[in-house]
Amino acid sequence: MRGLTAPGPVRWIVRTLEDAGFETWAVGGAVRDALAGIPSGDWDLATRATPREVRRIFRRTVPIGVDHGTMGVLARDGTLFEVTTFRKDVETTGRHAVVEFADELDDDLARRDFTINAVAWHPIRKVVHDPFEGAVDLERGVLRTVGSPEDRLAEDYLRVLRALRFAGAFQLRIEGRTWRALTAAVPRVGVLSPERIREELEKILAGAAPPSRALGLYAASGLLSALYGELDATVGEERSGAGGDWFSHALRAVDLLPASRPTLRWAALLQGVGEPEAPGDEEAHPWDRGLLRSAAVLERLRSSNARIAEISQLVPWVARPPDPRGTDAELRRWLARAGRERLPALLRLWSAAVRADELRDGPWNRGDFNTLAARLRALARSGLPLEVGELALSGRDLIRMGYSPGPLFGEVLRFLLDQVLEAPELNRPEYLRDEASRWLEARMPDE
Ligand code: ATP
Ligand code: MG
């Protein structure tokens, strides 16, 4: 493998096990990544030693998944490496497998999903052991299963999602029979747990490769329609003023955002979900549909409530920015609704939309974006009140004026904020006190 060396601790673990008489190899993702020329930290080792033997040989071990044959071995520098006993599957259900220890490396490689993931490399002897020709496939740019694709995908439907992710990440063409088996298996992926489905999408969004490749395959394979109906409806949904549809625009924008900002990539991906009309909610405003549908996607994936709120509250604003030529009052109202704290994220998202539209004609242009960004930044920084808490009059002041706290307090403060958003010079205690008294007197029951 072109002069590749494994990190010192990996070689130390392999040498220690082999000195004790147990054949040991590097396998899986790290070998694949190294073959593709990508650095990987995740070195997984496969050995003939049983977990009990591994524990006996090393001083510092952590039982990670003893049932599955995995022991963690702590290297001197404190890094944990997974050492897994050779295994073979004895029973599979489409969701998980019952495994048994195996004597031979080849058994272990044969249970791996794709040929590119079934290459073993010996970190000391520096030889590749590749019975399924995964290295050749990687070189030729082909993804195929180890063994019969129909059987291997039915054993574990997560492999359908993994295939699309790897094809995207390494720019592989999915081999014909594997592709046919994959599209045939798509209707069964619903048996997977929502968490595993979400993790797959999150790996695509957090990956170094442009996510549009794997996500384009989600659409092409039918997986998008099986799992993400809200997004599937944006395929072919015309974006007004643009040559293309919402889905392809969203994919371009996702690619343009950094992998280190998954929240932004999520919001960019989901930006169009509010746009298509669906039976029953034609009446709803696209803004509300965007919020509700993006929240529905994330909820189905069992995302945390914090994450659902964070992403779904960005989504509707991404597709529907305020008019860059609107009045200051309009933009202040807009900021008050969207929340000042969301502005930096939204500017990143719109900026990606601008660049996406520069790649392919669309309604955004850089001049409009620059105007909007400058105006919103200035208003957000101006210190002018955008929230009830920033008014020159508070609930405490109302109590001091002799009113008793109740639901009317919130209402009157919002009434005052509304005026101040329109005309910030009204944010003076005397004026707000007078207005508040007038408003409250008119609504309070006589005593
Ligand atoms: P990544 O870490 O980017 O998800 P990976 O290939 O390292 O990619 P892991 O889930 O870390 O994936 O698994 C390590 C290895 O275990 C894989 O390379 C593959 O050989 C095997 N493997 C993982 N999941 C499956 C599966 N569902 N079916 C068969 N083999 C699998
Ligand atoms: Mg891995």
Side-chain angles (χ1 to χ4, degrees), residues 147-207:
S148 141
E150 297 79 16
D151 296 346
R152 299 311 309 284
L153 296 176
E155 283 169 15
D156 178 359
Y157 290 105
L158 192 70
R159 292 171 188 162
V160 171
L161 282 69
R162 287 171 58 87
L164 303 177
R165 172 159 63 90
F166 294 130
F170 297 97
Q171 275 192 279
L172 309 176
R173 181 177 65 75
I174 300 177
E175 175 269 332
R177 189 172 152 203
T178 299
W179 178 257
R180 285 191 296 279
L182 184 153
T183 52
V186 159
R188 304 281 300 133
V189 294
V191 303
L192 298 167
S193 76
E195 288 82 358
R196 291 178 89 198
I197 292 171
R198 183 187 74 224
E199 274 169 26
E200 273 300 319
L201 182 51
E202 285 185 332
K203 283 183 178 179
I204 292 174
L205 292 179

Side-chain angles (χ1 to χ4, degrees), residues 90-111:
V90 290
E91 195 196 323
T92 52
T93 65
R95 299 179 56 160
H96 47 75
V98 179
V99 293
E100 174 171 286
F101 296 148
D103 277 336
E104 297 303 326
L105 171 65
D106 281 1
D107 289 331
D108 190 83
L109 296 178
R111 67 177 286 279

Side-chain angles (χ1 to χ4, degrees), residues 236-252:
E237 175 73 18
E238 193 194 330
R239 192 164 154 255
S240 72
D245 62 350
W246 275 103
F247 186 67
S248 50
H249 172 70
L251 292 194
R252 276 191 293 279

Side-chain angles (χ1 to χ4, degrees), residues 156-369:
D156 178 359
Y157 290 105
L158 192 70
R159 292 171 188 162
V160 171
L161 282 69
R162 287 171 58 87
L164 303 177
R165 172 159 63 90
F166 294 130
F170 297 97
Q171 275 192 279
L172 309 176
R173 181 177 65 75
I174 300 177
E175 175 269 332
R177 189 172 152 203
T178 299
W179 178 257
R180 285 191 296 279
L182 184 153
T183 52
V186 159
R188 304 281 300 133
V189 294
V191 303
L192 298 167
S193 76
E195 288 82 358
R196 291 178 89 198
I197 292 171
R198 183 187 74 224
E199 274 169 26
E200 273 300 319
L201 182 51
E202 285 185 332
K203 283 183 178 179
I204 292 174
L205 292 179
S212 64
R213 294 191 204 135
L215 295 172
L217 292 171
Y218 267 40
S221 62
L223 189 73
L224 199 66
S225 130
L227 295 179
Y228 301 101
E230 296 85 348
L231 270 173
D232 194 55
T234 70
V235 177
E237 175 73 18
E238 193 194 330
R239 192 164 154 255
S240 72
D245 62 350
W246 275 103
F247 186 67
S248 50
H249 172 70
L251 292 194
R252 276 191 293 279
V254 170
D255 284 354
L256 288 162
L257 288 160
S260 57
R261 303 289 300 273
T263 301
L264 296 183
R265 282 187 157 186
W266 266 111
L269 176 63
L270 293 169
Q271 64 180 293
V273 297
E275 300 300 321
E277 285 182 0
D281 64 0
E282 300 92 341
E283 299 291 304
H285 192 276
W287 193 95
D288 297 309
R289 294 194 304 231
L291 180 82
L292 294 173
R293 289 178 189 163
S294 54
V297 172
L298 294 161
E299 216 158 283
R300 214 166 53 232
L301 297 174
R302 308 253 199 283
S303 298
S304 70
N305 287 338
R307 200 107 180 86
I308 297 172
E310 188 185 21
I311 297 166
S312 67
Q313 291 185 30
L314 284 172
V315 165
W317 305 115
V318 183
R320 307 224 153 218
D323 180 355
R325 279 166 290 273
T327 63
D328 278 358
E330 277 163 6
L331 292 188
R332 274 194 301 273
R333 283 183 194 287
W334 183 89
L335 265 179
R337 262 193 86 190
R340 194 193 257 116
E341 70 285 359
R342 256 177 228 115
L343 185 60
L346 286 169
L347 291 175
R348 287 299 287 270
L349 284 157
W350 291 331
S351 164
V354 173
R355 283 189 291 150
D357 277 354
E358 284 171 349
L359 293 174
R360 196 154 182 273
D361 264 3
W364 268 109
N365 72 68
R366 189 159 294 274
D368 281 353
F369 167 73

Side-chain angles (χ1 to χ4, degrees), residues 118-162:
V119 184
W121 181 68
H122 200 282
I124 295 172
R125 287 189 277 123
K126 309 235 163 145
V127 294
V128 172
H129 180 71
D130 186 14
F132 304 103
E133 303 195 320
V136 181
D137 284 344
L138 199 56
E139 187 80 43
R140 288 189 307 163
V142 176
L143 185 94
R144 60 187 173 95
T145 52
V146 170
S148 141
E150 297 79 16
D151 296 346
R152 299 311 309 284
L153 296 176
E155 283 169 15
D156 178 359
Y157 290 105
L158 192 70
R159 292 171 188 162
V160 171
L161 282 69
R162 287 171 58 87

